[in-house]
Amino acid sequence: MKKLLPCLLLAASTLHAQTKTLFYMTDHPDSVRDFTEHQTKIDIIVPTWYDVDPAGMVSGESDPTVMRIVKQRHISLIPIVAIFDKIGVHTLLTSDKAKTAMIASLISECKQNGYDGFQLDFENISWTDRDALSATVKQIADAMHREHLQLQIAVVPNAPGHPGHTAFSKWIFADWRGVFDLKALSESVDLICLMTYDQHTRWTTPGPVGGWTWMNENLDYALKVVPKEKLSLGIALYGYHWYTGDPGANDKDQKPNITADYISAADSQTLRDTYKGLEQWDPQDHTAYFFFYRDQMREWIFYTEKRGFADRYNLAKEQHLQGICAWVLGQEDNAIWTVLPDRP
């Protein structure tokens, strides 16, 4: 027995240290099919089933197929409850009546459906609501914990903790990044999902969806105040496609309209092959990209394929984080599944 004990302790330690895989899922059939096909690789599933309005009314429902699978395989189920409305969020955060209604609904949905808890996805919030958000999250967490339920929160990365010089930097900090007090939030919730993606979007020049340098800067910043066991690293499973938009040909006045669309890995690869784009690897930002010409104009795509996914998954392992949080099933390069181990 004495010889066996060290082996048992080592096995228990290895199991405890295993990097958790959290995947987001929408109600789109492609997303649900992906979950069904790759359920053995997923520890935590976070479906986008619920919204909350400024009055605290929670709306949404579960998917029967997903419910059957999580019960059969004992996968942790933590639905999202979301609101993206600057004025509406302020109303919610500052109304005791609305918060009480929201909390009661979240607990009720967990008990009725057997959820392990909820993840908050509150975005597009003014930085001036920072303290109100932290206080509200603590109030929700305390109520959930009394019922033996979990509370998670998705946060926009906010290193270096203040706005920069450009108008874009000021805007994105004021309306998206500045509201998240990582230290205060980590003291309340069970898990923080650091959304280290959407670094470059339709609002920016072409570039990585979540570049390596930017991701590490934000991870290091978060780890100053968030315990590793409470932090999950965000990985984009999608890409962005930049192209020349409609300049307003039928309007009285024309204007520049370079734009970008969200694009799946599969669609990225289809455009690459159709227009003979040469896929390249950016060694600084650990990301795949390519360009091609259509109508004599250069179009750019940056996206996550197997190598980029593996590097980010391994970063979470090396940093001994709780795990990864990947957005979103139905958009990924199918080859990423070979990177992940089956759940025990």
Side-chain angles (χ1 to χ4, degrees), residues 49-109:
W49 287 342
Y50 291 88
D51 297 297
V52 60
D53 73 6
M57 184 177 72
V58 175
S59 57
E61 62 180 3
S62 61
D63 180 297
T65 298
V66 175
M67 295 300 296
R68 284 195 296 271
I69 293 172
V70 297
K71 289 177 181 177
Q72 290 167 0
R73 297 204 58 85
H74 305 289
I75 298 171
S76 183
L77 175 58
I78 311 276
I80 273 179
V81 58
I83 181 170
F84 290 52
D85 175 357
K86 191 188 303 181
I87 296 174
V89 173
H90 178 79
T91 300
L92 176 65
L93 297 179
T94 55
S95 168
D96 289 339
K97 183 177 180 181
K99 288 184 287 187
T100 298
M102 173 180 62
I103 292 169
S105 293
L106 296 180
I107 292 172
S108 175
E109 288 297 310

Side-chain angles (χ1 to χ4, degrees), residues 19-49:
T19 305
K20 297 289 186 182
T21 54
L22 181 156
F23 281 85
Y24 293 101
M25 179 185 67
T26 68
D27 58 4
H28 191 281
D30 287 346
S31 199
V32 177
R33 275 195 294 269
D34 255 10
F35 172 63
T36 302
E37 292 173 9
H38 302 290
Q39 57 188 268
T40 61
K41 307 281 189 176
I42 298 171
D43 294 302
I44 307 166
I45 189 68
V46 181
T48 59
W49 287 342

Side-chain angles (χ1 to χ4, degrees), residues 101-278:
M102 173 180 62
I103 292 169
S105 293
L106 296 180
I107 292 172
S108 175
E109 288 297 310
C110 286
K111 290 185 173 182
Q112 288 181 30
N113 296 287
Y115 304 153
D116 295 292
F118 267 94
Q119 182 176 126
L120 305 179
D121 188 12
F122 292 4
E123 299 185 51
N124 190 17
I125 315 174
S126 172
W127 70 277
T128 56
D129 280 327
R130 182 181 174 98
D131 290 343
L133 177 65
S134 296
T136 298
V137 170
K138 184 179 187 307
Q139 185 178 348
I140 300 169
D142 288 348
M144 298 283 278
H145 292 157
R146 284 194 293 270
E147 301 296 332
H148 307 289
L149 299 168
Q150 298 178 41
L151 184 69
Q152 303 177 356
I153 187 169
V155 303
V156 179
N158 54 12
H162 57 79
H165 175 69
T166 66
F168 175 83
S169 177
K170 294 173 184 175
W171 165 74
I172 201 165
F173 183 85
D175 288 0
W176 294 89
R177 296 176 178 170
V179 73
F180 297 104
D181 183 338
L182 298 182
K183 184 176 187 299
L185 295 173
S186 70
E187 291 170 354
S188 299
V189 301
D190 299 285
L191 183 68
I192 287 180
C193 288
L194 188 65
M195 296 187 288
T196 35
Y197 37 81
D198 275 9
Q199 177 189 10
H200 295 90
T201 66
R202 66 186 181 91
W203 295 96
T204 73
T205 55
V209 180
W212 190 251
T213 302
W214 176 81
M215 174 175 283
N216 276 275
E217 287 173 353
N218 278 284
L219 177 57
D220 290 345
Y221 181 77
L223 285 172
K224 291 178 181 179
V225 293
V226 181
K228 292 183 176 185
E229 64 273 13
K230 281 192 171 186
L231 191 62
S232 186
L233 183 68
I235 303 179
L237 299 181
Y238 59 93
Y240 275 101
H241 171 206
W242 283 265
Y243 58 93
T244 52
D246 181 359
N250 297 319
D251 298 337
K252 181 180 178 181
D253 298 313
Q254 285 75 50
K255 60 183 179 180
N257 188 24
I258 300 170
T259 191
D261 283 337
Y262 183 95
I263 189 170
S264 70
D267 288 348
S268 297
Q269 292 162 351
T270 296
L271 285 173
R272 177 199 64 197
D273 296 344
T274 300
Y275 293 99
K276 297 180 171 56
L278 177 62

